[in-house]
Amino acid sequence: MQPPIPIPDQIGTVDLASWAVVPGPSNVDKDEHGAWAVTAGDEEQYALYFEVADAAHPRQVAEFIVEAVRAHATRLRLSAAFDDILRERERLRTHPAGADLYELDRSRVVAMMAQLGELAAEAYEPASASEQDAQTQRIYDEVTHLAALAVSWLEAIHARYGADGA
């Protein structure tokens, strides 16, 4: 039985590295003009599978689809991450100490490096199955916080020295 026709929401739920182009079952000789399939998920039980057969160059069409999906999903993930960083940056700016956000002193860099070290320790500490989601959320929140600080410092450098940092 073939998996159902994919829907856009599945793009983010299947590991992008698992997306592949394979010869269709009727294309045992791997003919460039035979049927080629786009697959995603475990090879034993694909989460997504569809064939490209009625095209002048089915393999090239299938490869284009895989690359387009990977690029689109990457842009969506980056956009979501940057949105979270900008929200945290705005939260930090409204904090009473927000004016210090743009200070470029050594103590702030040392504090950030200490936070990064604590984050690394937590990331490599195994969590129980019931605690994994909470641990992942804590790590994500901390990385978002550190990224917001870094972006604020970059803004301060741009403001003081120009867009090229020199």
Side-chain angles (χ1 to χ4, degrees):
M1 180 176 142
Q2 297 287 354
I5 294 172
I7 58 173
D9 290 346
Q10 287 175 296
I11 289 173
T13 62
V14 179
D15 181 11
L16 290 178
S18 73
W19 284 67
V21 174
V22 299
S26 65
N27 189 5
V28 293
D29 295 330
K30 300 180 182 180
D31 178 24
E32 290 291 317
H33 299 287
W36 287 84
V38 173
T39 65
D42 183 14
E43 280 187 39
E44 298 296 317
Q45 183 71 30
Y46 293 125
L48 297 171
Y49 178 96
F50 61 91
E51 285 187 18
V52 178
D54 293 331
H57 302 282
R59 183 178 183 160
Q60 290 176 338
V61 170
E63 289 171 346
F64 171 80
I65 290 168
V66 168
E67 288 307 312
V69 165
R70 286 180 180 157
H72 178 68
T74 298
R75 281 191 303 276
L76 289 176
R77 290 174 181 173
L78 280 173
S79 178
F82 286 132
D83 287 348
D84 291 343
I85 292 166
L86 290 175
R87 272 191 293 281
E88 176 64 5
R89 180 183 151 277
E90 287 305 313
R91 187 192 71 78
L92 290 171
R93 288 181 69 190
T94 61
H95 189 273
D100 295 338
L101 201 57
Y102 299 104
E103 291 302 315
L104 303 170
D105 62 35
R106 289 186 179 155
S107 64
R108 300 220 42 212
V109 173
V110 170
M112 185 175 173
M113 295 307 291
Q115 286 178 297
L116 190 57
E118 291 169 14
L119 175 64
E122 181 173 0
Y124 286 102
E125 187 173 307
S128 66
S130 63
E131 180 64 18
Q132 283 179 348
D133 287 344
Q135 181 189 41
T136 299
Q137 187 61 52
R138 280 192 309 274
I139 290 169
Y140 185 87
D141 292 345
E142 188 66 24
V143 169
T144 301
H145 177 77
L146 291 171
L149 289 174
V151 166
S152 296
W153 294 343
L154 287 171
E155 286 180 287
I157 291 169
H158 278 262
R160 287 186 185 157
Y161 305 108
D164 61 3

